[in-house]
Amino acid sequence: MPQVKIIAKNFMDMVAALPTLKLDKLYENTFICEAVLRSLPPLAKKYALQLLYIEEPVTAKSMEEWVLPDGFSKHRVAIDRLIQLRVFIENPDGFSRKKETSYKLNPRFQVNLQNYTAHGGVLPRESMSSSITVRLPTAEELDSYALEQWESFLLQLISSGQIEKTTTSFSPSMMRIFQQGLVSQRDREGPRLTESGFQFLLMDTNAQLWYIIREYIINSEDRGVDSADLISFLLELSFHATGQAYNTSTLDEVQRSAVKDLADLGLIKLQQGRKESWFIPTKLATNLSVSLSDSSSRKEGYVVVETNFRLYAYSTSKLHCEILRLFARIEYQLPNLIVGAITKESLYTAFENGISSEQIISFLQQNAHPRVCDRAAPSVPENVTEQIRLWESDLNRVEVTPANFYDEFPSKDVFEGACDYARDNGGLLWEDSKRMRLVVKAEIHTLMRDYLHRQK
Amino acid sequence: MASGQVVMRAMYKNNGVKDPGVQGVLIMTEDKLDFSPDDPMPSARLNVPFRSIKGHKFSKEGSQKQALLMLTQSDKSYTFEFDKYAERDICRDFVGKVLGKIQAKQSSKQEAKVDSEKPATTVHDEQLRPAEMELRMKLLAENSELQKLHKQFVIGGILTEAEFWATRKKLLAVDVSKISKQPLGFKSAMLADVRPLTDGRTNKVTFSLTPEIIQQIFTEKPAVHQAFLKFVPSKMTEKDFWTKYCRAEFLHRTKNAVAAAAEAAEDEELAVFLKQDHILASEARQKIRRVDPTLDMEADEGDDYIHLPDHGIFRDGSKEFTDSEYEQYKRTLAQDLNRHAAVVLEGRTLGMESGDTRTVAEALAKSKKAELATQMSDEKANHNRSERASRMAEIEDLQTPHNPPFAPLLIKDPREYFDSQQANALKALRDTAVGTRTVNCNVNTAQAYGSLRKSISEMKVTGLSVPVIEAEVARKVLIGLSQQLSSTKYNLGKNPQESILDRLPKKTKEELLHFWISIQELLKHFWSSYPITTTYLNTKVSRLKDAMADIYPKLQGIKESAQSDFRHQVSLLVQPMVQALDAAFTHYDADVQKRSMRS
Amino acid sequence: MASAPSKQYSDDVSVVMVLLDTNPFFWSGANNTTKVSFSSFLNHVISFLNSVLLLNQLNQVVVIATGYNSCDYILDSSTSESINLSLGNGKMPALCSKMLQKLEEFLIRDEQLSRENLPTGITSSLLSGSLSLALCYIQKVLRSGRLHPNPRILCLQGSPDGPEQYVAVMNAIFSAQRSMVPIDSCIVGAQHSAFLQQASYITGGVYLKPPQLDGLFQYLSTVFATDLHSRSFLQLPKPVGVDFRASCFCHKNTIDMGYICSVCLSIFCQQRKKCSTSDTKRNSIEIYNHHLLPVAASG
């Protein structure tokens, strides 16, 4: 799932962009170290692990010994990432005098992970002891709760106003922040989804979640909350056990306010006891750090596409229906089944909204019904995918390239020289040698002008 | 030898196969052959010692060919024709034996002389069918590798043609089966081509029949065929027969079922042509019986489009109203089509050229009979039909699996496999402590388990020791591993997946591969010649040995000519080849010594 | 655009089957031959298990004890019972104490199975059994769910090879090769293991006999923790070349040419009337010639 990877990577970029002091402070938390390690590319993880007990810096050269010729690009990526995230410290303690690059593991990171390997993974906080008799939701209840919360949030996001507002407690201003870029509020027309808004809807849940959370964190500074604190809490949250209840009193002020927001997103469920209140992380929360590496677990699909362009979606979700409506004509809606057809018209509306054929196809493929996936044949019939692409390319028959028009050349030689020059720069679009006219891409106009001046 | 002499009547052909020949008696003894003609003609009289005969050839047994035996001298050949193949074969076998004996004598005499190869080759050269020869040529042309080997060894005189191919029987066998001549089938055009030609002015209609068409009519319409056999020439002439047939065809064509019925009533012969072909009908019934009983032929009847308006063929009989009494005089196009298709698919069963109508008809009848005989056995099979039906209906999953019988492999002691492997494996690891290391355990079972459990419970109390590993030790290990890697990297190349061969220059690589293939070929022949039981094998082995000895210095050459950075690798590759050759030479020397001791 | 999603996770998610040699005769008699005690060995191994789990949340480790008389699963990180015991008992993390508990129970069972008399000769552990257990588990993993992790096997072996297990072990190795499961071997005993050398060679795993056993964790984390995805970019210690020549069953000599029984493939340096391994009559004994093997073997 490339989108999750990109967005999750963006999230880790956000972490990497934190100032050194803050980052080092984050590494005091074992869970952050763990989450950061897991977000690394596989090769980088291995490098971090092999230096776990080594205190002396290790030269870059000796690490390269291990790399096969095919793996050098991966090696570079891994090392770069390690340094960005300050997991590796380059040339520590004036070691650089030797003119040889060497690396050392971040000492805080090192100690934390050493502890981890010795003691194994532990939970961030004590869960509710079994002596307290409070009925906890079952796994299924929790899952459906999370899904419900998330979907109602999304529905509210894309069509603020229509849906019953009571479900979420996000302030309208907060909501507006999320909607930034996704929904455009034009005049009195009511909200309209933008291009990226449509694309957002076609992403899978993890990617959407990361998008929202990133927005949430970026805006935290405005609310007077330190983004590092928030990041650390979110990462920590993903190490809690799903379905266990944790006492809210163990949280600090920042976290307690964050918990309320997260409950609105369906990441956690709040439960009020007689004296104390508890929070129960859902699957959405515990999957957060898993999806940081790109091997995220896929959820069950529900869409069946037939070769005759008909589409059956086994879903009860209103949101699914809305998403399918983006590019297909919905014909019937039965209690657990949505029947529709992919038509030229429905696709044209999608293309107009800025959704690309590849996005639609990958959405259909990713959400294909398990029965369809198990077959040897492609999950979406090839004639359908081809036709979707063809219809899109139909729209793009005319390509607009900004260009400049040159004429009235003094001589044939100058004209031909100009043609060659334009061609060499990859900007020649059209030439008419008889009348000595020339069309060149606008981007090299300045170059052309300089060239022609020189000719005079 | 059972008889020291063979006496046979034969014809001597002085001037090759085309010569009519001279009748006479051929007497062959162990050392010479004697031919005395019936007609005392001095020029045809022969008295040739077998010593001067270099080889013999003979014609293959076949219908058209004569039973020939040809004896070749260095400059001349003698050809004899026999009445029967059996007689020829007796002579041929005798000649073969005698020649073999003489050859053996000669080669034992000239043990020291190497030039005994030439006669030896001819003895074992069989007469090849041209088809087989062609096949060999084709194989060589298709496989450049094979061609190279052939050129090197057969043309180079190291192996004989027969020896070379003897190891590749499979290659030949596979292709022989493929070359079966494709028989010419019937034209797929319908018989409707026998169009009546009308000149327009008169009422005369002309049909033209060719032998080709007649044969097709016979096969497609068994009733006509039968009638022909019955009536011609006893009852009517051939011409009358066909005239009647054409009249019937004409009636069909006009689709006048009523007229056809009327005419049929008058003329019983004509009726034969007009009625439904009862032979065909019974055949069709039989065929239906042979259809898989589980197949429900009626199931998809509703699937066709014929019952829909605007579908189907208009000439189809169902669209035309006829009285049922004329039903039998009505033939539908569908019937014709099906019959024609069946005949075309069956193919032409007669291999002969179509000639005289009568012989065609008879030959066809013969082949029909044979077919019927096979069908009779089919009838019997029909008894099992119901049984088969029930078997087909059985559900596979519920049956006991049909496992082919097998003899269980009985291994007395698997240890043996291990021991034979271990010796080598550990040698490769340069483990010095091989063999001597049966751990002498002086602890008893209880103690051993006890100490293990104790250490576990200790661990439970004390917990894990932190840190697991000293930083200094960890560093040492990592450095050690890195060094180990960098040292192996330069010995064995950067990429372990790449084989050594791929890194050599292309020319060297090809050369090496070719050497290896040649050596394998030679070794295959060399080892398969042992134990040496005949002098022929003896000469073969010495030939092979010399050829291998020729390759030996070339291997050294390639090793030395390799560039310095590849020399090590090339010598690694050459080493097993040299070893293989050495093993062969040692074996050869030991064998020669052993045999000389014995004699 | 990939149309059919692969059944495998795209990168480094792995399930590692660790075969732990718990042969009591090796560990108790070993004190004079090896430098590592059983408890410190366990210490290193547990750290290794934790680090594998650390690398990816979806990673999975399964530990199989290879005993003297039997073998059994002693840890499976995927079953919930090993995780939800929240913090363990203070000193010992849950995963680890659970495993030690199981190991102890296993040893008691294993002891009960042993015969009264003292073992003589080679005291090997039941490697064939634990390899088979591991492969069964892997088959289960491969057949379950839409996505499955990349499986591999790591043998931590100290006891000498058991010749009577040869056929069973080789069968397990070939089965691993067929399902493309690499077998890594880490030898903690004094001698090399011919079994595991072949196993790693055939399945494309790593064979290593660490010279410095107090640094075992470093070997494990540097070499054996490498996931299959990263292995295609990295150079790991190369398995030592295997000598393909056979040695005869009768005298254990390395031979170039000999006679081979076509039924059981036993090799003899002399022609004999009957195959001593499978009682097959002589007519099915054919000539074996190492030099007629294809060139690939020597390349």
Side-chain angles (χ1 to χ4, degrees):
Chain A
M1 246 154 286
Q3 290 141 341
V4 195
K5 208 162 135 195
I6 293 161
I7 289 178
K9 188 174 168 293
N10 290 344
F11 182 80
M12 288 322 284
D13 282 342
M14 203 165 75
V15 176
L18 288 174
T20 316
L21 267 176
K22 264 191 187 172
L23 200 56
D24 283 349
K25 194 172 149 258
L26 272 185
Y27 286 147
E28 277 171 12
N29 186 331
T30 314
F31 302 101
I32 310 290
C33 298
E34 208 177 317
V36 165
L37 183 78
R38 283 180 180 169
S39 77
L40 293 170
L43 215 51
K45 292 185 202 182
K46 197 225 158 224
Y47 289 155
L49 189 63
Q50 82 187 29
L51 296 190
L52 193 55
Y53 280 93
I54 300 201
E55 279 163 9
E56 302 267 311
V58 172
T59 60
K61 212 172 133 251
S62 77
M63 295 195 65
E64 282 166 13
E65 293 287 5
W66 295 76
V67 187
L68 290 175
D70 295 350
F72 256 100
S73 60
K74 297 256 177 193
H75 172 79
R76 270 289 20 118
V77 169
I79 296 283
D80 286 350
R81 196 75 188 153
L82 285 167
I83 292 169
Q84 267 176 23
L85 283 167
R86 281 187 61 78
V87 174
F88 270 18
I89 296 170
E90 206 171 1
N91 297 330
D93 326 322
F95 212 75
S96 52
R97 262 175 285 135
K98 283 185 184 171
K99 277 188 189 164
E100 213 178 359
T101 326
S102 60
Y103 308 111
K104 186 184 175 319
L105 217 53
N106 184 324
R108 283 194 177 122
F109 193 85
Q110 191 169 23
V111 167
N112 271 327
L113 288 190
Q114 278 179 6
N115 277 333
Y116 184 97
T117 57
H119 300 297
V122 282
L123 297 170
R125 49 175 58 80
E126 198 101 33
S127 66
M128 184 173 70
S129 63
S130 48
S131 57
I132 301 167
T133 52
V134 177
R135 197 193 149 271
L136 289 178
T138 64
E140 291 82 41
E141 281 169 358
L142 205 61
D143 280 357
S144 63
Y145 163 82
L147 210 65
E148 215 174 278
Q149 283 289 318
W150 177 246
E151 287 193 355
S152 71
F153 167 75
L154 279 188
L155 273 176
Q156 193 190 354
L157 190 68
I158 54 173
S159 50
S160 56
Q162 318 169 5
I163 312 298
E164 54 272 44
K165 263 188 189 149
T166 47
T167 46
T168 59
S169 62
F170 279 116
S171 63
S173 62
M174 195 61 206
M175 213 58 205
R176 226 163 288 136
I177 288 165
F178 291 141
Q179 284 172 342
Q180 240 170 35
L182 300 180
V183 182
S184 67
Q185 218 95 29
R186 237 183 281 157
D187 309 332
R188 303 261 164 252
E189 241 174 58
R192 264 179 63 92
L193 278 177
T194 63
E195 207 172 298
S196 51
F198 283 110
Q199 291 175 0
F200 173 79
L201 280 186
L202 292 187
M203 293 177 191
D204 75 304
T205 314
N206 272 325
Q208 291 169 336
L209 200 58
W210 276 116
Y211 181 89
I212 293 296
I213 284 183
R214 201 167 54 120
E215 295 295 312
Y216 183 71
I217 291 173
I218 287 171
N219 287 289
S220 62
E221 305 278 352
D222 303 342
R223 283 173 278 132
V225 178
D226 186 4
S227 61
D229 288 348
L230 213 50
I231 290 172
S232 113
F233 177 61
L234 274 165
L235 289 177
E236 196 180 298
L237 191 66
S238 64
F239 289 94
H240 289 74
T242 316
Q244 294 289 318
Y246 300 92
N247 200 325
T248 341
S249 62
T250 55
L251 303 172
D252 61 31
E253 197 55 46
V254 176
Q255 293 169 339
R256 226 172 288 166
S257 74
V259 155
K260 281 200 196 78
D261 293 337
L262 296 179
D264 285 335
L265 293 176
L267 287 176
I268 47 183
K269 184 173 166 47
L270 292 173
Q271 192 153 341
Q272 188 63 47
R274 224 168 297 159
K275 275 186 202 156
E276 292 154 313
S277 59
W278 309 87
F279 69 94
I280 309 163
T282 69
K283 238 192 207 146
L284 287 181
T286 46
N287 275 343
L288 263 185
S289 77
V290 180
S291 58
L292 276 180
S293 58
D294 62 347
S295 52
S296 54
S297 57
R298 294 179 201 172
K299 44 177 191 167
E300 291 257 295
Y302 54 92
V303 181
V304 179
V305 184
E306 291 186 340
T307 49
N308 58 6
F309 293 83
R310 289 186 75 77
L311 180 144
Y312 301 90
Y314 290 87
S315 169
T316 50
S317 155
K318 224 171 175 177
L319 184 73
H320 286 163
C321 187
E322 287 303 314
I323 291 172
L324 292 175
R325 211 185 286 281
L326 293 179
F327 60 87
R329 190 182 70 214
I330 303 299
E331 291 173 347
Y332 320 110
Q333 213 168 340
L334 304 173
N336 69 338
L337 177 70
I338 302 161
V339 182
I342 298 173
T343 65
K344 195 174 171 180
E345 290 71 32
S346 70
L347 281 174
Y348 274 10
T349 19
F351 296 147
E352 271 167 35
N353 286 326
I355 304 174
S356 75
S357 63
E358 289 309 322
Q359 278 171 328
I360 294 171
I361 292 167
S362 77
F363 173 82
L364 291 175
Q365 280 168 342
Q366 281 164 19
N367 290 290
H369 196 276
R371 284 281 180 82
V372 189
C373 294
D374 288 345
R375 281 190 329 206
S379 51
V380 181
E382 271 164 352
N383 71 319
V384 177
T385 54
E386 281 311 306
Q387 190 60 63
I388 292 176
R389 291 195 187 108
L390 283 176
W391 275 328
E392 189 189 36
S393 61
D394 264 0
L395 292 176
N396 301 332
R397 280 198 205 147
V398 178
E399 205 178 327
V400 183
T401 312
N404 289 76
F405 179 73
Y406 304 81
D407 63 350
E408 291 176 15
F409 283 92
S411 73
K412 197 92 182 165
D413 287 343
V414 176
F415 171 74
E416 271 161 12
C419 279
D420 290 343
Y421 184 78
R423 203 176 288 123
D424 291 345
N425 286 291
L428 181 69
L429 291 172
W430 179 78
E431 66 175 274
D432 175 7
S433 52
K434 229 180 233 168
R435 294 200 214 159
M436 296 201 283
R437 294 185 305 182
L438 187 63
V439 177
V440 177
K441 277 186 192 162
E443 56 205 67
I444 62 161
H445 173 63
T446 45
L447 282 174
M448 275 309 274
R449 206 175 45 197
D450 293 348
Y451 171 80
L452 290 172
H453 276 302
R454 264 180 277 136
Q455 296 304 306
K456 276 172 192 170
Chain B
M1 206 168 291
S3 58
Q5 178 178 333
V6 171
V7 182
M8 201 67 69
R9 277 204 69 78
M11 225 184 324
Y12 170 57
K13 302 184 162 205
N14 201 5
N15 301 317
V17 187
K18 291 277 154 62
D19 188 14
V22 184
Q23 280 286 351
V25 179
L26 176 69
I27 303 166
M28 290 192 287
T29 61
E30 284 200 32
D31 51 350
K32 64 180 175 113
L33 67 95
D34 212 338
F35 181 79
S36 33
D38 299 349
D39 176 20
M41 193 168 47
S43 66
R45 203 180 166 79
L46 285 179
N47 192 338
V48 186
F50 267 119
R51 251 179 297 116
S52 65
I53 302 290
K54 296 285 185 211
H56 67 293
K57 291 180 177 175
F58 48 89
S59 58
K60 281 263 142 75
E61 212 164 323
S63 55
Q64 307 296 318
K65 289 178 197 148
Q66 301 150 306
L68 294 176
L69 178 68
M70 189 162 86
L71 303 173
T72 49
Q73 239 171 358
S74 47
D75 53 345
K76 190 172 166 15
S77 69
Y78 307 98
T79 311
F80 300 97
E81 187 189 339
F82 298 84
D83 290 344
K84 290 176 190 141
Y85 279 105
E87 290 174 358
R88 199 276 317 270
D89 289 348
I90 294 171
C91 291
R92 181 196 62 190
D93 294 347
F94 182 80
V95 169
K97 272 180 203 159
V98 169
L99 285 179
K101 260 194 174 174
I102 289 170
Q103 222 67 80
K105 259 186 228 158
Q106 275 179 349
S107 53
S108 63
K109 265 185 223 159
Q110 339 167 309
E111 183 82 291
K113 292 182 198 165
V114 195
D115 64 1
S116 64
E117 324 174 331
K118 272 283 135 74
T121 54
T122 35
V123 173
H124 283 258
D125 243 354
E126 31 151 6
Q127 169 96 28
L128 279 176
R129 275 185 295 119
E132 185 147 358
M133 203 63 221
E134 244 172 63
L135 175 64
R136 288 180 181 183
M137 303 290 275
K138 202 176 126 228
L139 280 173
L140 288 179
E142 280 170 357
N143 189 340
S144 66
E145 198 77 60
L146 204 62
Q147 197 181 14
K148 242 194 225 165
L149 282 179
H150 187 266
K151 204 167 144 195
Q152 189 177 355
F153 294 131
V154 179
I155 298 178
I158 293 158
L159 291 171
T160 67
E161 180 86 10
E163 282 164 2
F164 183 78
W165 290 105
T167 52
R168 294 183 168 78
K169 275 191 184 122
K170 241 185 215 159
L171 221 56
L172 290 171
V174 168
D175 279 42
V176 163
S177 61
K178 271 189 211 157
I179 35 168
S180 63
K181 228 175 96 192
Q182 191 176 13
L184 203 66
F186 280 116
K187 282 186 188 137
S188 59
M190 283 275 285
L191 254 194
D193 293 347
V194 192
R195 286 195 185 285
L197 297 169
T198 43
D199 52 10
R201 274 167 295 170
T202 60
N203 267 343
K204 207 165 147 194
V205 180
T206 322
F207 284 86
S208 56
L209 293 172
T210 65
E212 184 97 6
I213 293 174
I214 287 173
Q215 200 189 336
Q216 205 173 344
I217 291 173
F218 281 158
T219 37
E220 286 197 17
K221 297 172 183 172
V224 176
H225 177 218
Q226 210 182 35
F228 183 87
L229 287 175
K230 217 159 89 190
F231 301 142
V232 182
S234 59
K235 229 174 159 182
M236 58 178 90
T237 64
E238 202 182 318
K239 189 164 190 294
D240 289 341
F241 179 85
W242 290 118
T243 318
K244 264 206 167 89
Y245 171 77
C246 294
R247 168 115 195 101
E249 274 301 296
F250 183 69
L251 284 173
H252 269 303
R253 203 163 290 280
T254 52
K255 277 188 237 117
N256 191 343
V258 185
E263 289 214 24
E266 284 166 25
D267 189 339
E268 62 169 302
E269 282 98 40
L270 190 68
V272 173
F273 301 134
L274 290 174
K275 275 185 192 159
Q276 299 270 16
D277 198 326
H278 66 273
I279 300 178
L280 273 189
S282 74
E283 255 177 38
R285 270 195 297 280
Q286 258 177 30
K287 272 184 196 155
I288 287 177
R289 229 173 289 150
R290 264 182 283 154
V291 169
D292 187 338
T294 54
L295 190 67
D296 186 357
M297 305 260 278
E298 286 172 13
D300 56 3
E301 231 167 35
D303 285 353
D304 69 276
Y305 291 95
I306 298 208
H307 63 282
L308 298 175
D310 301 329
H311 282 83
I313 303 159
F314 281 111
R315 210 190 131 179
D316 185 82
S318 61
K319 289 219 158 55
E320 289 154 27
F321 172 78
T322 38
D323 290 326
S324 58
E325 85 179 85
Y326 303 119
E327 191 75 15
Q328 56 171 332
Y329 298 107
K330 189 192 76 191
R331 261 179 4 213
T332 62
L333 176 65
Q335 271 172 344
D336 285 351
L337 262 176
N338 281 338
R339 178 61 194 160
H340 177 71
V343 167
V344 168
L345 283 180
E346 235 165 58
R348 197 188 294 255
T349 39
L350 291 181
M352 60 189 300
E353 297 294 306
S354 36
D356 178 35
T357 321
R358 179 77 207 170
T359 49
V360 168
E362 270 161 8
L364 204 65
K366 233 186 258 170
S367 70
K368 261 276 153 63
K369 234 173 233 167
E371 243 174 67
L372 271 181
T374 57
Q375 274 173 16
M376 287 308 278
S377 59
D378 255 28
E379 292 281 295
K380 269 179 215 157
N382 277 351
H383 287 297
N384 307 329
R385 208 167 146 258
S386 56
E387 199 188 313
R388 208 170 108 212
S390 66
R391 202 165 2 130
M392 298 288 290
E394 276 168 3
I395 297 166
E396 211 174 88
D397 298 3
L398 301 180
Q399 302 308 307
T400 48
H402 301 279
N403 283 334
F406 67 94
L409 175 63
L410 174 84
I411 301 284
K412 275 188 190 159
D413 189 0
R415 241 174 262 237
E416 298 216 345
Y417 286 104
F418 174 74
D419 290 344
S420 75
Q421 284 296 306
Q422 201 194 26
N424 279 320
L426 294 186
K427 228 178 273 166
L429 289 169
R430 291 172 214 91
D431 195 340
T432 46
V434 193
T436 56
R437 25 108 283 164
T438 29
V439 177
N440 205 3
C441 44
N442 38 16
V443 266
N444 69 29
T445 316
Q447 275 174 346
Y449 279 101
S451 76
L452 218 54
R453 284 214 307 277
K454 207 178 102 208
S455 57
I456 291 173
S457 41
E458 264 172 27
M459 250 187 109
K460 275 182 161 173
V461 177
T462 56
L464 297 173
S465 64
V466 181
V468 176
I469 183 171
E470 297 297 327
E472 194 43 41
V473 176
R475 200 177 67 91
K476 255 200 217 151
V477 167
L478 188 65
I479 289 172
L481 279 171
S482 302
Q483 274 168 355
Q484 190 193 335
L485 276 183
S486 61
S487 67
T488 52
K489 199 187 256 183
Y490 295 109
N491 279 348
L492 292 159
K494 299 241 189 286
N495 192 340
Q497 274 106 18
E498 186 182 33
S499 100
I500 305 172
L501 262 183
D502 295 332
R503 273 180 289 115
L504 294 177
K506 202 169 169 233
K507 193 171 149 274
T508 322
K509 181 184 162 186
E510 273 172 6
E511 233 174 320
L512 274 174
L513 281 175
H514 180 67
F515 275 130
W516 180 246
I517 290 166
S518 331
I519 290 171
Q520 281 214 6
E521 176 76 18
L522 289 173
L523 283 173
K524 210 166 11 181
H525 286 284
F526 180 82
W527 290 111
S528 64
S529 309
Y530 282 94
I532 294 174
T533 46
T534 63
T535 29
Y536 167 67
L537 283 176
N538 195 16
T539 51
K540 183 182 171 187
V541 161
S542 74
R543 252 187 295 138
L544 289 165
K545 196 211 82 175
D546 293 342
M548 289 194 287
D550 284 347
I551 291 189
Y552 207 88
K554 287 185 200 157
L555 286 180
Q556 296 298 332
I558 195 172
K559 219 162 42 170
E560 275 149 29
S561 67
Q563 285 162 20
S564 56
D565 33 338
F566 292 121
R567 191 165 296 160
H568 177 65
Q569 276 119 32
V570 169
S571 69
L572 274 181
L573 287 171
V574 168
Q575 195 54 34
M577 304 190 206
V578 173
Q579 274 177 359
L581 289 177
D582 283 340
F585 292 147
T586 328
H587 189 83
Y588 178 81
D589 291 341
D591 193 67
V592 165
Q593 210 166 22
K594 221 197 288 176
R595 275 183 303 134
S596 69
M597 295 257 288
R598 221 182 287 151
S599 62
Chain C
M1 174 140 275
S3 46
S6 146
K7 286 264 285 174
Q8 241 158 25
Y9 287 109
S10 55
D11 57 3
D12 61 334
V13 184
S14 349
V15 48
V16 187
M17 313 291 304
V18 182
L19 312 188
L20 222 53
D21 192 352
T22 63
N23 182 355
F25 302 106
F26 165 70
W27 287 111
S28 57
N31 291 332
N32 43 8
T33 46
T34 50
K35 298 159 211 147
V36 68
S37 71
F38 187 60
S39 53
S40 82
F41 169 70
L42 278 184
N43 214 337
H44 286 277
V45 172
I46 288 170
S47 298
F48 168 70
L49 298 179
N50 281 331
S51 32
V52 171
L53 292 176
L54 165 70
L55 286 179
N56 197 310
Q57 184 152 335
L58 298 171
N59 274 0
Q60 200 180 328
V61 288
V62 177
V63 183
I64 297 171
T66 315
Y68 179 66
N69 297 304
S70 60
C71 40
D72 204 356
Y73 300 105
I74 54 171
L75 176 78
D76 182 349
S77 69
S78 69
T79 51
S80 53
E81 53 175 332
S82 63
I83 297 169
N84 67 13
L85 281 178
S86 54
L87 281 164
N89 57 358
K91 273 191 197 131
M92 198 64 83
L95 181 109
C96 170
S97 65
K98 185 98 191 157
M99 183 178 117
L100 288 180
Q101 183 64 38
K102 280 240 187 173
L103 182 58
E104 205 167 10
E105 289 162 15
F106 167 76
L107 282 173
I108 292 168
R109 259 178 290 136
D110 200 41
E111 185 176 1
Q112 282 161 357
L113 285 171
S114 45
R115 282 147 283 153
E116 281 306 302
N117 53 343
L118 262 165
T120 48
I122 302 169
T123 53
S124 55
S125 49
L126 201 57
L127 180 65
S128 58
S130 58
L131 270 178
S132 308
L133 276 182
L135 287 167
C136 287
Y137 192 96
I138 286 171
Q139 284 305 320
K140 199 178 91 187
V141 170
L142 293 182
R143 280 156 207 221
S144 65
R146 288 180 61 197
L147 288 174
H148 58 74
N150 286 312
R152 64 179 196 267
I153 297 175
L154 169 62
C155 292
L156 291 162
Q157 195 70 6
S159 319
D161 293 336
E164 65 287 345
Q165 295 176 44
Y166 179 77
V167 175
V169 169
M170 286 313 280
N171 281 338
I173 293 172
F174 290 132
S175 145
Q177 183 193 22
R178 257 185 74 92
S179 30
M180 311 228 274
V181 176
I183 301 178
D184 294 336
S185 339
C186 180
I187 306 297
V188 292
Q191 317 90 25
H192 278 287
S193 158
F195 277 166
L196 290 175
Q197 194 209 345
Q198 295 218 17
S200 299
Y201 186 86
I202 291 170
T203 59
V206 180
Y207 175 91
L208 189 69
K209 183 174 179 296
Q212 204 172 357
L213 281 176
D214 53 345
L216 182 62
F217 176 78
Q218 190 62 36
Y219 289 105
L220 292 174
S221 64
T222 316
V223 178
F224 295 106
T226 318
D227 60 278
L228 299 186
H229 175 73
S230 302
R231 284 187 194 198
S232 45
F233 311 115
L234 287 180
Q235 167 118 18
L236 293 178
K238 254 180 84 77
V240 199
V242 175
D243 189 353
F244 283 103
R245 281 182 306 165
S247 45
C248 65
F249 281 34
C250 35
H251 305 92
K252 318 280 181 261
N253 296 329
T254 307
I255 52 167
D256 286 323
M257 196 181 85
Y259 299 90
I260 184 162
C261 169
S262 62
V263 172
C264 66
L265 304 180
S266 307
I267 297 165
F268 305 100
C269 60
Q270 292 160 337
Q271 197 163 13
R272 38 178 66 212
K273 289 211 175 70
K274 218 164 80 175
C275 168
S276 63
T277 317
S278 65
D279 268 345
T280 314
K281 288 279 152 46
R282 169 196 160 166
N283 58 2
S284 59
I285 294 185
E286 290 167 10
I287 290 179
Y288 159 83
N289 192 330
H290 170 70
H291 298 301
L292 296 185
L293 295 176
V295 71
S298 62

